[in-house]
């Protein structure tokens, strides 16, 4: 008895492969993209420190996002203890940390640090709009301040 030239379980040498699935990389995924996003997320959560600081003007505060002695972003905000209201006036994060969860981590940190404060924002840019919607931070008119801040 002689064996056939190729076994039925293996495709012939010239036959095209037709896999049932496309493997880890997927048909439309960029190679290594998922690993890079995961690496950025781990870096954002394990090595970026959240450091409170004073803001540019009186009454403003700032949360710095620091990676090994380099500021990679900041969140500027105002607080009114009388109204129990916080207003986020600026969010800036380096582009390499976009979609890493760092913005969510920073706003969650503010909520934990100032419990009972209702957060609002004056921002209406495309970059921050999704973050504010995800974190359920309501939009506030640009020039409206509480009565305590006007005095």
């Amino acid at each position: 008895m002689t064996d056939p030239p190729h076994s039925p379980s293996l495709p012939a040498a010239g036959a095209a492969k037709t896999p049932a699935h496309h493997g880890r990389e997927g048909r439309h995924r960029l190679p290594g993209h998922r690993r890079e996003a995961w690496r950025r997320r781990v870096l954002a959560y394990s090595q970026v420190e959240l450091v409170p600081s004073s803001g540019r003007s009186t009454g403003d505060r700032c949360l710095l996002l620091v990676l090994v002695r380099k500021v990679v972003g900041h969140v500027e905000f105002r607080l009114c203890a009388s109204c129990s209201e916080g207003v986020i006036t600026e969010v800036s994060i380096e582009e390499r940390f976009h979609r890493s969860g760092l913005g969510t981590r920073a706003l969650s940190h503010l909520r934990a640090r100032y419990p009972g404060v209702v957060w609002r924002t004056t921002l209406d840019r495309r970059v921050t709009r999704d973050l504010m919607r995800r974190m359920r931070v309501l939009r506030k008119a640009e020039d409206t301040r509480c009565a305590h801040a006007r005095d």
Side-chain angles (χ1 to χ4, degrees), residues 39-40 43 67 70 72 93-100:
R39 191 182 76 69
R40 279 195 322 264
L43 186 68
L67 175 68
K70 181 181 182 230
V72 295
I93 298 174
E94 278 188 9
E95 191 170 339
R96 69 179 170 149
F97 285 104
H98 286 190
R99 300 183 54 110
S100 69

Side-chain angles (χ1 to χ4, degrees), residues 121 124 128-138:
T121 184
D124 192 29
T128 56
R129 192 176 306 134
D130 291 337
L131 172 65
M132 296 302 164
R133 187 178 303 127
R134 236 184 356 264
M135 295 298 294
R136 295 191 174 133
V137 176
L138 301 175

Side-chain angles (χ1 to χ4, degrees), residues 20-123:
H21 65 283
H22 298 286
R24 280 182 59 171
E25 297 302 319
R27 179 182 291 179
H28 301 290
R29 187 175 302 144
L30 296 173
H33 178 70
R34 194 165 194 55
R35 280 174 276 179
E36 181 62 28
W38 178 252
R39 191 182 76 69
R40 279 195 322 264
R41 183 172 294 270
V42 168
L43 186 68
Y45 275 83
S46 66
Q47 295 185 7
V48 174
E49 295 180 52
L50 306 176
V51 181
S53 175
S54 60
R56 295 182 202 171
S57 62
T58 309
D60 284 355
R61 298 182 187 192
C62 188
L63 181 67
L64 298 175
L65 312 172
V66 181
L67 175 68
V68 191
R69 296 182 301 180
K70 181 181 182 230
V71 177
V72 295
H74 68 273
V75 178
E76 293 183 16
F77 60 98
R78 291 188 307 258
L79 284 175
C80 179
S82 302
C83 296
S84 293
E85 182 179 74
V87 179
I88 299 169
T89 57
E90 178 69 31
V91 175
S92 176
I93 298 174
E94 278 188 9
E95 191 170 339
R96 69 179 170 149
F97 285 104
H98 286 190
R99 300 183 54 110
S100 69
L102 191 54
T104 303
R105 180 180 173 214
L107 295 185
S108 296
H109 177 81
L110 289 177
R111 283 193 170 149
R113 186 170 180 159
Y114 303 103
V117 172
V118 176
W119 290 97
R120 307 215 186 282
T121 184
T122 57
L123 301 173

